Amino acid sequence: MGSADSKLNFRKAVIQLTTKTQPVEATDEAFWDQFWADTATSVQDVFALVPAAEIRAVREESPSNLATLCYKAVEKLVQGAESGCHSEKEKQIVLNCSRLLTRVLPYIFEDPDWRGFFWSTVPGAGRAGGEGDDENARPLAESLLLAIADLLFCPDFTVQSHRRSTDSAEDVHSLDSCEYIWEAGVGFAHSPQPNYIHDVNRMELLKLLLTCFSEAMYLPPAPDGGGTNPWVQFFCSTENRHALPLFTSLLNTVCAYDPVGYGIPYNHLLFSDYREPLVEEAAQVLIVTLDHDRAISTSPTVDGTTVGTAMDDMDPPGPENLFVNYLSRIHREEDFQFILKGIARLLSNPLLQTYLPNSTKKIQFHQELLVLFWKLCDFNKKFLFFVLKSSDVLDILVPILYFLNDARADHSRVGLMHIGVFILLLLSGERNFGVRLNKPYSVRVPMDIPVFTGTHADLLIVVFHKIITSGHQRLQPLFDCLLTIVVNVSPYLKSLSMVAANKLLHLLEAFSTTWFLFSAAQNHHLVFFLLEAFNNIIQYQFDGNSNLVYAIIRKRSIFHQLASLPADPPALHKALQRRRRAPEPLSRTGSQEGASMEGSHPAAPAEPGTLKTSLVATPGIDKLTEKSQVSEDGTLRSLEPTSQQSSADGSPATEEPDQAWREQRRLSSTSASGQWNPTSEWVLSWKSKLPLQTIMRLLQVLVPQVEKICIDKGLTDESEILRFLQHGTLVGLLPVPHPILIRKYQANSGTAMWFRTYMWGVIYLRNVDPPVWYDTDVKLFEIQRV
């Protein structure tokens, strides 16, 4: 039968279903078979031939027919899983049912009255396999999920058959799916022959699986992080006998993928790459199965004594979610290497484009990869330490900085900006990250930033400066995070370039203008962070940092102005008059921009009409991080007050933002219009705590010496002054070094909810062919046009 005929027959069946007012019996096989038995429709056909309005009409007007359609389609998938899909006809039925369910499920989820339908039991549903009565009790959702799992390891359908032609067909029930893992990598050494048909079939089933999981999109964001997703919970439980091989298959498929076309430039133009859609689908399913709120169930720490298996034997047991459990127990160096190399290769792919345009296939799923990398670091501390153990972490850092710089002007990519910054915040809590940043930066990825010669630390500072001074307004909540990262790494930075040093001072200059300081309750924290970073460098890395010391001396007026900041009402009034005139957040002046790198493109705003999804607010930096003090031996001691004591240890450094915030709220007032009104008491409450002692002492000692050199030698040449500063010392002249404070990211329900909305928003927008969720009533986020 031609494809036009089969489409026509399928469409006739759909029309019959929508026009029948009487319920059709489940036993009327002739009627139901029209939907899957003799049609060969692609998933795109199914979406075109089953319009949304008709699905909703059946749901409202003949609900029993929609229920029977779903039940019968699941029954066919269960039968296919039981029989092993040996004939072409069976395979076709499974694919047709899978496409039909992918089309219909979102409309079941959008109606609260239908939400429980898949979790109810259907009388006699267990008949297909002929098992005993226990089977009858399975809810439809469970039968569907187990059938999908079985079908993903179905020989000659989704995996290579191991039998020789003489053997009888493999028995699906006794089959050990661990021998059929899709790709070599973690816990599996054998790489099966690529098979286009198997990849396409896996992809269809994974799309259905992702659609099952997408019920989460139809629930509004919950302040406490929301409950667990019952579909994911069941699929990732011990009920699913394929959980381990499927987890491994998904992870290995993503991490082994090489879009370059087997190392030959321009190869992708000759061969269509059918692997990429599978890899995308695998990445999306993987991050959804790992959506697990750590703040609610704390997973135990792992001690890696066993070497025998790919997963640590964990004691006590980890989270119930087996995918999270397996992820947290990967521990072999070669597995970590495989994962890190794979993710770094894929994240760097868009950057390669800029050397040899079109030489490699450009992948689009970097946001899913960033979520996956985040989950790996957050759930598996051993992986995090492995990443930071060598300079390989820089292969993750550079692409992230590239994405941040590229997306800074684009309103539709605010989520990408956040996840990039969150990952860097997580990494910056570890000393090794700061140490790794000292590696010289020689890779010249064309980026729209000033040219500089220096280290990866310089790159990070230059990009952060660019985000703060030329990103759009919606990025302002990230400034605290960006500067916290700078403070966390500052004690380890051996030598900043002149370009980076000037950028940091330009930020201080912009943030310490009175109108900026007084125009919002928290703006002064940015000054505290920058001063803390300068103090760390002066106290712990003075020797190599003559560029920064020179920049501080040149811009010394900023520090003197801060020390004598006016707090009297007339001064406050005057500063706020300026605020009403100057909506621009930060001045671009005073920062010598310099030429951008060759071959780079300016960061572009979103094309008008671009779709984006809304995000929930992220917690403030005080909720996102926990303060720790670095002891003499390099270990960290938490400074978070266990009880509500007034200060962690009474020292001014730790007194700074947290409980001071609550105090400031009290001292300032918010007028009826919601306008922020600073008071003199409020300014004085934090001005007295500005950590200026170290810098003032430095200026007191060095400025007269530098001025003397200039007068004596009639100098205007900075190289002579820099040489003097390089050999100078402040030993014994500075205040006693303060303990290093690190603000480490800590898991909490607020970020768990943010990740959930961000992840589903990405998945919603990226699935356009077929458009699985478009025009359905999602509740987790809003769809907006730029």
Side-chain angles (χ1 to χ4, degrees), residues 542-563:
F542 179 81
D543 287 351
N545 274 297
S546 50
N547 288 329
L548 180 68
V549 174
Y550 178 67
I552 288 174
I553 291 173
R554 275 190 47 222
K555 293 281 190 182
R556 56 189 179 276
S557 59
I558 307 173
F559 301 97
H560 291 301
Q561 279 163 8
L562 275 172

Side-chain angles (χ1 to χ4, degrees), residues 523-591:
N523 284 355
H524 63 282
H525 298 157
L526 300 172
V527 170
F528 273 85
F529 285 138
L530 283 165
L531 292 175
E532 195 178 330
F534 292 153
N535 288 341
N536 283 341
I537 295 174
I538 293 166
Q539 289 281 19
Y540 293 99
Q541 300 289 350
F542 179 81
D543 287 351
N545 274 297
S546 50
N547 288 329
L548 180 68
V549 174
Y550 178 67
I552 288 174
I553 291 173
R554 275 190 47 222
K555 293 281 190 182
R556 56 189 179 276
S557 59
I558 307 173
F559 301 97
H560 291 301
Q561 279 163 8
L562 275 172
S564 56
L565 192 71
D568 53 299
L572 293 179
H573 181 71
K574 194 171 150 195
L576 294 177
Q577 286 308 105
R578 246 203 90 184
R579 168 179 76 181
R580 302 204 172 90
R581 285 200 306 278
E584 234 348 66
L586 290 174
S587 75
R588 311 270 192 287
T589 54
S591 162

Side-chain angles (χ1 to χ4, degrees), residues 254-311:
V254 173
C255 295
Y257 176 55
D258 185 357
V260 175
Y262 312 103
I264 306 160
Y266 302 101
N267 204 10
H268 70 288
L269 300 177
L270 309 178
F271 304 102
S272 76
D273 178 0
Y274 54 82
R275 198 85 214 232
E276 188 185 7
L278 172 67
V279 176
E280 278 196 18
E281 207 70 51
Q284 292 178 0
V285 168
L286 196 52
I287 60 177
V288 170
T289 56
L290 296 170
D291 175 21
H292 175 75
D293 190 349
R294 278 243 326 270
I296 292 171
S297 65
T298 49
S299 59
T301 50
V302 181
D303 101 17
T305 41
T306 53
V307 236
T309 58
M311 309 298 164

Side-chain angles (χ1 to χ4, degrees), residues 175-197:
L175 170 139
D176 175 8
S177 44
C178 285
E179 291 170 15
Y180 291 85
I181 287 171
W182 301 351
E183 186 58 73
V186 176
F188 194 66
H190 166 69
S191 193
Q193 270 305 118
N195 182 314
Y196 171 66
I197 305 290

